[in-house]
């Protein structure tokens, strides 16, 4: 054994660690070979003027990591060393980030995020702080199905949507995508395919594709999903957005709703109703949810708070029919709740105190005004060059642009002017209809004062060749 | 058309809504039939002494929901009504919750949750409040890969585990299960099966089962997963916990680690390393992660904060090898981030200020003491009736109970005394070895002062027939 071991006694690194490193390097560099005996603890401690504890700790570490093994009379020897077949690790820390060279976005008209003045953070923060008083609860994993207080508030909240359920049916999750993902897992043994509105919620569709479901695109008409085509498709599971179809904004009339429910009742199918954007109807009262008409337990109802409180607070929910509860409990309850407990508790109290209702009223008023302003600006600036698909609801509009440019060209030219838009064609699973060019413009996060500028930029992009 | 419509002018319900409800009921009860003409807006407004706006709103709502359709000269008529094939919805609100009749749990020895005094909530709350200053950020959806500041801190943090990576490789998610779920989605096109330690992390295994992966159980030895059996199994994807095998607590020695990496390098396999509980080694320094030895990019590294800060704060991370980053971006980046932004920002600053390091040091000291106390109490109370699988790490111990009782009987009798325990056999995918009875006891959340009581209760349950 080597006798010369240089140790740094300045205290920067514990002595046992230096000793450990020394021996480890000797073994890795084959200076010590398999079977080589280590000095006794006492012997090495004496020769290096170290405490026995120090040497023992170093040896223990080598032993734990498998560099040495213990033999007779507490003497250690070098273990069989398995050679690594590659070079030593190179540092990757300096690796530069990949940067897609997109032009800077000044106006993001492709995002339904909230108006900057749309939320009272000071108030919310008070509720977060109140939620910290329940530290016992915060010490634990959350309830896999969501905190009781919040589920109770959700039962009350969706009653206004016509949904009548009990608390046990409500499952909380950190976003509609997470809940769809869970649903896909639960429903996989029973379904090979799922019908989707075409065009439809592509980021939701992807979850089912990734789970190995066959996607059955079903044509969307002005009355919502084509129930005739749906029935003919043989699908037994369908995802719909009847209150405000995404992305077209169409509303499914009562007759079609009942036709859809009848189809499900007669075929034993399951309907997933995403009650997307139902809070933002600027005319008349909100349309009751499909789930409110569901007597057979064929509808799974989903909702999200991401449009009424900022989406950085990740809370969504679904209502399972009783017949699915048992399957859910059996299959999904091993999954830990992924939603922040403190945010759940804060939201429950915020709702109980009536703040969510007030917040929605305030937002609805704000968006109603912005909706009208945005529409009027488009009409003024574009005149007959565009047609607006008016639905008087939601946070976006679908525009038909009368231009020879392809949708992709419209997108690129808008982006070159600093405006990000979305294209209706991207929401199709199959081929989108060729003409005319339909684009999606969200107005929710564009400041009212800047709407004229944003819309003028779009006009420049599409109709003024420079 | 009926002329008598009773409206309540007290203001409890808007007049247009009453009008809407009235007509809706008439249609649903077939008092109005398909094609029946509605009175003109002006006509009805005059006859009921209502404003035209009120009537118009009611009509619009009926129109939106499909009860009526518009005809010539703005006259509306009753739409074709599709009959619902079921009775009206019955209220489910009063439905009682299902309550499994389990005895009350006084000591939960089956949970690795934190010691009640283990976290300074007042300090954490200050960081949450600081994070609220960045309201621009909180208005938006979070970065799908996690907030930049946190990812940067994680790069620094895991450097102490020997992991050298760049920020772009770090993906944040709300729990290891969520990240495994995402990984399973990404890897599905390339892998039909995944090898798991047997016994192993059953709630992780379930995610892969639910995704349709074939689970390949590979025997666990004292040196970790049996690399020979693994190689023979033909698996090309494996999940391992080398730093502290769950649930046995075994540590994989260096030789085996390199053998595992060699296997992956030679076969093109991918290793998922869950660096579970690596913070809690009570003897010597922490074992460096397998990922630290990985030069070929075969290892996906995963870690969680759920043992070092309370698990109600859902934050975990994984480090993807460069070759998987592109696949991740293509397939997973459509998923919204599910982790609370404010908690991510708070944690980033908490880490930057050195609090996480202090918190871990404090917890390690606390758990080291509790570990020793728990072990000593078991030895004193049980004597030779049990054997402790000593690993000097983690938050739980595996006990071999020398009793004729089956593991399930041990579980039931403990529960009858108010003590919830876990059984090693439940972590096997296949058959567990029959004898002896091995049980898992977590000590982390049992108050030190109550350990003697909890352990005496277990002894009464198993060795004192009353």
């Amino acid at each position: 054994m080597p006798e010369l071991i240089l140790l740094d006694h300045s205290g920067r690194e514990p002595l046992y660690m230096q000793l450990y490193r020394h021996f480890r390097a000797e073994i890795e560099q084959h200076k010590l070979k398999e079977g080589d005996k280590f000095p006794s603890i006492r012997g090495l401690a004496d020769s290096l003027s170290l405490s026995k504890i120090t040497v023992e700790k170093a040896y223990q570490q080598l032993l734990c990591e498998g560099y040495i093994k213990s033999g007779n009379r507490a003497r250690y020897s070098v273990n069989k060393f398995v050679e690594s077949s590659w070079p030593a690790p190179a540092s990757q820390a300096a690796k530069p980030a990949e940067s897609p060279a997109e032009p800077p976005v000044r106006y993001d008209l492709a995002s339904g995020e909230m108006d900057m003045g749309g939320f009272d953070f000071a108030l919310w923060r008070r509720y977060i702080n109140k939620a910290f008083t329940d530290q016992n609860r915060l010490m634990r994993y959350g309830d896999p199905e969501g905190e009781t207080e919040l589920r109770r508030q959700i039962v009350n909240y969706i009653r206004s949507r016509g949904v009548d359920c009990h608390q046990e049916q409500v499952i909380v999750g950190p976003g509609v995508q997470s809940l769809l993902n869970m649903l896909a897992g639960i429903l996989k043994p029973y379904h090979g395919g799922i019908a989707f509105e075409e065009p439809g919620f592509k980021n939701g569709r992807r979850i089912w594709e990734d789970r190995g479901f066959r996607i059955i695109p079903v044509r969307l008409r002005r009355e919502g999903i084509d129930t005739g085509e749906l029935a003919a498709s043989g699908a037994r599971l369908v995802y719909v957005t009847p209150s405000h179809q995404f992305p077209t904004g169409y509303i499914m009339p009562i007759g079609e709703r009942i036709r859809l429910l009848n189809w499900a009742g007669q075929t034993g199918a399951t309907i997933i109703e995403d009650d997307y954007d139902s809070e933002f109807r600027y005319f008349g009262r909100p349309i009751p949810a499909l789930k409110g008409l569901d007597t057979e337990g064929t509808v799974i109802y989903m909702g999200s708070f991401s449009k009424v409180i900022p989406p950085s607070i990740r809370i969504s929910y679904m209502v399972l029919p009783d017949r699915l509860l048992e399957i859910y409990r059996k299959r999904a309850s091993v999954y830990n709740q992924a939603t922040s407990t403190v945010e759940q508790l804060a939201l429950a109290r915020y709702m109980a105190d009536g703040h969510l209702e007030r917040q929605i009223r305030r937002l609805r008023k704000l968006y109603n005004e912005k909706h009208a302003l945005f529409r009027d600006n488009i009409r003024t600036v574009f005149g007959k060059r565009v047609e607006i698909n008016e639905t008087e609801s939601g946070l976006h509009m679908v525009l038909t642009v009368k231009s020879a440019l392809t949708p992709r060209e419209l997108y690129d030219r808008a982006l070159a002017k600093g405006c990000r838009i979305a294209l209706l064609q991207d929401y199709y699973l199959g081929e989108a209809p060729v003409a005319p060019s339909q684009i999606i413009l969200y107005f929710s996060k564009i400041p009212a004062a800047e709407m004229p500028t944003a819309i003028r930029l779009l006009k420049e992009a599409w109709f003024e060749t420079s």
Side-chain angles (χ1 to χ4, degrees), chain A:
Chain A
M1 289 298 295
E3 285 302 300
L4 190 68
I5 302 176
L6 288 174
L7 298 174
D8 168 11
H9 287 258
S10 71
R12 264 195 294 264
E13 192 181 29
L15 291 168
Y16 88 91
M17 183 98 93
Q18 295 181 48
L19 207 56
Y20 154 80
R21 275 192 204 288
H22 167 83
F23 283 121
R24 182 180 147 171
E26 298 272 306
I27 295 168
E28 287 182 348
Q29 292 155 24
H30 302 283
K31 294 182 187 160
L32 291 173
K33 294 195 175 53
E34 188 187 342
D36 279 356
K37 287 264 178 310
F38 264 53
S40 73
I41 289 170
R42 172 187 292 267
L44 189 64
D46 283 353
S47 77
L48 293 176
S49 303
L50 294 170
S51 77
K52 282 202 296 180
I53 294 285
T54 300
V55 177
E56 197 172 346
K57 276 174 91 174
Y59 282 14
Q60 280 293 342
Q61 189 70 36
L62 290 163
L63 187 70
C64 270
E65 297 188 20
Y67 286 97
I68 60 175
K69 60 187 175 191
S70 58
N72 290 338
R73 285 177 300 141
R75 286 294 290 276
Y76 296 100
S77 64
V78 176
N79 213 340
K80 187 164 186 303
F81 190 69
V82 182
E83 192 64 49
S84 166
S85 50
W86 331 294
S91 171
Q92 299 182 305
K95 187 125 185 176
E98 269 153 74
S99 53
E102 277 205 353
V105 174
R106 189 169 157 201
Y107 298 115
D108 189 355
L109 295 136
S111 155
E113 285 173 343
M114 195 176 280
D115 184 274
M116 278 310 296
F119 190 65
D120 183 349
F121 267 109
L123 178 67
W124 175 250
R125 197 168 125 171
R126 283 210 294 282
Y127 279 84
I128 289 282
N129 278 299
K130 274 185 207 170
F132 272 111
T133 53
D134 194 354
Q135 296 192 356
N136 270 8
R137 185 97 67 100
L138 296 176
M139 265 308 196
R140 303 198 302 260
Y141 281 93
D143 185 324
E145 304 177 5
E147 298 304 307
T148 308
E149 295 89 331
L150 180 60
R151 293 163 79 196
R152 199 178 305 137
Q153 288 301 322
I154 290 171
V155 168
N156 289 335
Y157 175 61
I158 59 182
R159 203 167 282 146
S160 74
R161 305 282 309 115
V163 179
D164 187 16
C165 67
H166 55 92
Q167 191 176 315
E168 303 296 307
Q169 292 175 274
V170 177
I171 313 291
V172 173
V176 161
Q177 290 184 328
S178 294
L179 291 169
L180 285 178
N181 186 20
M182 185 177 278
L183 265 187
I186 295 171
L187 296 176
K188 190 82 182 85
Y190 311 98
H191 296 279
I194 179 169
F196 256 83
E197 296 159 333
E198 171 84 337
F201 178 35
K202 62 176 172 178
N203 289 353
R205 206 165 54 203
R206 268 290 301 282
I207 288 162
W208 302 82
E209 289 178 270
D210 284 356
R211 286 275 186 176
F213 281 77
R214 186 169 42 89
I215 305 293
I216 306 157
V218 175
R219 186 176 43 154
L220 189 77
R221 297 179 304 149
R222 261 230 160 265
E223 300 77 33
I225 196 163
D226 186 325
T227 45
E229 199 179 306
L230 176 63
S233 76
R236 289 292 172 268
L237 180 61
V238 63
Y239 167 95
V240 287
T241 52
S243 298
H244 181 233
Q245 201 274 336
F246 183 81
T248 60
Y250 296 157
I251 292 159
M252 192 178 223
I254 184 75
E256 287 303 302
R257 286 172 188 236
I258 289 176
R259 203 169 272 136
L260 186 61
L261 289 169
N262 280 347
W263 162 78
Q266 283 150 14
T267 60
T270 299
I271 299 167
I272 301 171
E273 175 186 26
D274 187 346
D275 203 11
Y276 163 76
D277 259 7
S278 59
E279 302 84 2
F280 302 117
R281 288 250 308 130
Y282 309 122
F283 187 88
R285 65 175 200 121
I287 315 276
L290 190 63
K291 178 69 184 169
L293 304 166
D294 174 33
T295 51
E296 303 291 276
T298 58
V299 178
I300 298 167
Y301 177 82
M302 315 198 76
S304 168
F305 294 105
S306 298
K307 292 286 186 290
V308 296
I309 59 174
S312 76
I313 302 162
R314 309 300 302 136
I315 308 184
S316 296
Y317 50 91
M318 61 180 173
V319 177
L320 294 179
D322 283 318
R323 71 183 166 91
L324 280 178
L325 271 184
E326 205 183 331
I327 302 173
Y328 165 83
R329 292 208 180 99
K330 216 183 289 174
R331 297 187 55 89
S333 58
V334 300
Y335 294 152
N336 289 326
Q337 177 57 256
T339 313
S340 157
T341 305
V342 82
E343 289 183 342
Q344 285 186 63
L345 295 177
L347 181 58
R349 217 180 280 204
Y350 182 87
M351 291 171 85
D353 290 352
H355 288 303
L356 187 71
E357 222 175 294
R358 277 190 279 278
Q359 161 71 3
I360 291 174
R361 271 205 304 274
R362 203 168 42 223
L363 269 188
R364 193 183 290 132
K365 185 165 175 295
L366 173 70
Y367 286 151
N368 188 8
E369 289 162 9
K370 289 182 77 167
H371 175 270
L373 192 65
F374 195 68
R375 185 194 51 204
D376 295 348
N377 263 293
I378 289 175
R379 285 188 181 144
T380 309
V381 171
F382 282 101
K384 295 206 175 284
R385 290 187 185 91
V386 303
E387 237 168 53
I388 305 175
N389 255 15
E390 186 60 89
T391 60
E392 305 211 27
S393 67
L395 310 178
H396 71 266
M397 292 175 192
V398 178
L399 255 63
T400 306
V401 183
K402 293 170 184 166
S403 156
L405 297 171
T406 65
R408 197 55 60 192
E409 286 167 338
L410 292 175
Y411 179 91
D412 290 339
R413 289 186 181 211
L415 199 58
K417 291 279 181 189
C419 299
R420 204 159 70 90
I421 64 168
L423 302 178
L424 193 66
Q425 65 178 21
D426 291 341
Y427 293 85
Y428 284 84
L429 179 66
E431 280 298 297
V434 178
S437 284
Q438 291 195 301
I439 64 153
I440 295 171
L441 297 182
Y442 281 88
F443 58 84
S444 54
K445 71 183 286 195
I446 310 299
E450 300 191 35
M451 281 181 178
T453 313
I455 292 168
R456 264 200 306 272
L457 284 171
L458 289 178
K459 191 188 167 209
E460 284 173 25
W462 298 335
F463 293 103
E464 292 165 19
T465 40
S466 52

